[in-house]
């Protein structure tokens, strides 16, 4: 009995790892067809933020880049105009739970369903489109999440590489994490919400994004939203 319990605890711990596939399907890269088109998936979590998101959208427009925004519905409800602006500019809005709770991975089945379904409904109302993708808060999920996502027609997305831009204050370090080994088909994670600040008070993501998009272009790659990348699926 103790051995069985220990085995379950180990599997559960590994399953909580953001890039694990032990607790259900987990998209870590774009499909091969998108990689063949030299596409990467640029994603932003935890917004919208009234100070960061509008400037980020202007940068994306300047470079002709598209992205997917994983919004916490509670935050989205505070800024409906920003939600609509994201859609108007050709980006996709995806589901990042309702409250973005640190305890999300420990919710029971019923609470998980309510959290994801309420976010799905609110985002659809604000954006005019049902999200097709879900990312758990901090990427942490339990075995109970997969049946909830399947019932709601959602696919879980993690990432290939992340910048840790909510904790790292050095734009150079964040950029290195994103572009070292960058290849077609990679999914990149940044944040327009909860963004760390440089010593000058600027959101790190705003300091990183122009240099990142310059590097992407120099490599012959193109940033797309997840629905664009998965259009053949």
């Amino acid at each position: 009995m103790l051995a069985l319990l220990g085995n379950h605890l180990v599997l559960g711990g590994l399953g909580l790892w953001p890039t694990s596939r032990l607790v259900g399907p987990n998209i870590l890269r774009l499909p091969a067809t998108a990689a063949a088109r030299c596409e990467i998936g640029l994603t932003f979590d935890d917004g919208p933020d009234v100070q960061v998101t509008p400037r980020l959208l202007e940068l994306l427009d300047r470079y002709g880049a598209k992205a997917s925004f994983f919004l916490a519905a509670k935050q989205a409800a505070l800024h409906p105009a920003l939600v609509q602006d994201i859609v108007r500019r050709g980006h996709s809005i995806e589901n990042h739970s309702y409250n973005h709770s640190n305890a999300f991975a420990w919710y029971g089945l019923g609470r998980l369903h309510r959290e994801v379904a309420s976010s799905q409904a609110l985002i659809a109302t604000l954006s005019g489109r049902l999200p097709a993708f879900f990312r758990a808060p901090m990427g942490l999920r339990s075995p109970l999440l997969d049946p909830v996502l399947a019932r709601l027609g959602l696919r879980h997305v993690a990432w290939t590489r992340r910048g840790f831009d909510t904790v790292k204050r050095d734009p150079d370090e964040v950029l290195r994490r994103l572009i070292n080994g960058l290849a077609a088909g990679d999914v990149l994670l940044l944040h327009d919400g909860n963004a760390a600040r440089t010593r000058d008070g600027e959101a790190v993501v705003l300091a990183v994004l122009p240099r990142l998009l310059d590097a992407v272009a120099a490599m012959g790659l193109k940033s797309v939203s997840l629905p664009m990348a998965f259009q053949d699926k």
Side-chain angles (χ1 to χ4, degrees):
M1 178 64 72
L2 287 177
L4 181 62
L5 178 60
N7 184 57
H8 284 176
L9 289 173
V10 169
L11 288 176
L14 291 174
L16 284 172
W17 191 254
T19 55
S20 170
R21 289 176 167 144
L22 289 177
V23 295
N26 192 15
I27 295 169
L28 307 180
R29 294 180 52 79
L30 302 182
T33 51
R37 295 191 294 264
C38 296
E39 295 173 353
I40 63 163
L42 189 56
T43 67
F44 298 93
D45 281 10
D46 299 358
D49 180 282
V50 291
Q51 294 182 332
V52 177
T53 307
R55 293 177 60 193
L56 189 152
L57 290 172
E58 292 295 333
L59 286 170
L60 292 172
D61 277 358
R62 186 185 309 168
Y63 283 85
K66 301 303 178 187
S68 290
F69 289 77
F70 284 86
L71 304 185
K74 184 177 180 179
Q75 184 71 9
L78 299 175
H79 309 291
L82 264 181
V83 174
Q84 292 157 15
D85 197 26
I86 292 170
V87 174
R88 182 181 64 81
R89 294 173 187 255
H91 310 290
S92 82
I93 294 180
E94 308 301 341
N95 192 331
H96 196 38
S97 81
Y98 195 93
N99 291 295
H100 197 277
S101 170
N102 292 337
F104 179 85
W106 287 268
Y107 283 178
L109 185 61
R111 189 170 183 183
L112 274 175
H113 186 271
R114 289 192 298 273
E115 178 82 8
V116 178
S118 60
S119 178
Q120 190 79 341
L122 180 58
I123 289 174
T125 298
L126 295 176
S127 70
R129 169 188 166 272
L130 273 170
F133 301 94
F134 180 85
R135 179 178 286 149
M138 298 164 290
L140 303 179
R141 59 208 174 103
S142 77
L144 300 178
L145 179 60
D146 187 54
V148 170
L149 299 185
R151 182 176 177 183
L152 294 171
L154 287 162
R155 304 173 70 182
H156 191 272
V157 179
W159 51 81
T160 315
R161 56 190 67 244
R162 63 187 301 186
F164 289 97
D165 57 313
T166 60
V167 293
K168 302 295 184 182
R169 299 179 61 188
D170 181 359
D172 290 339
E173 181 179 353
V174 173
L175 183 65
R176 281 195 301 270
R177 289 178 176 275
L178 294 171
I179 65 174
N180 283 352
L182 180 65
D186 285 358
V187 177
L188 278 59
L189 169 60
L190 286 161
H191 295 76
D192 58 330
N194 297 318
R197 260 51 182 185
T198 67
R199 291 180 177 83
D200 297 328
E202 180 180 34
V204 168
V205 66
L206 295 175
V208 168
L209 188 59
R211 297 166 62 192
L212 172 62
L213 293 175
D214 280 336
V216 166
M219 295 177 189
L221 302 174
K222 179 183 179 182
S223 174
V224 299
S225 68
L226 293 175
M228 294 168 67
F230 283 84
Q231 60 184 312
D232 301 321
K233 296 292 182 178

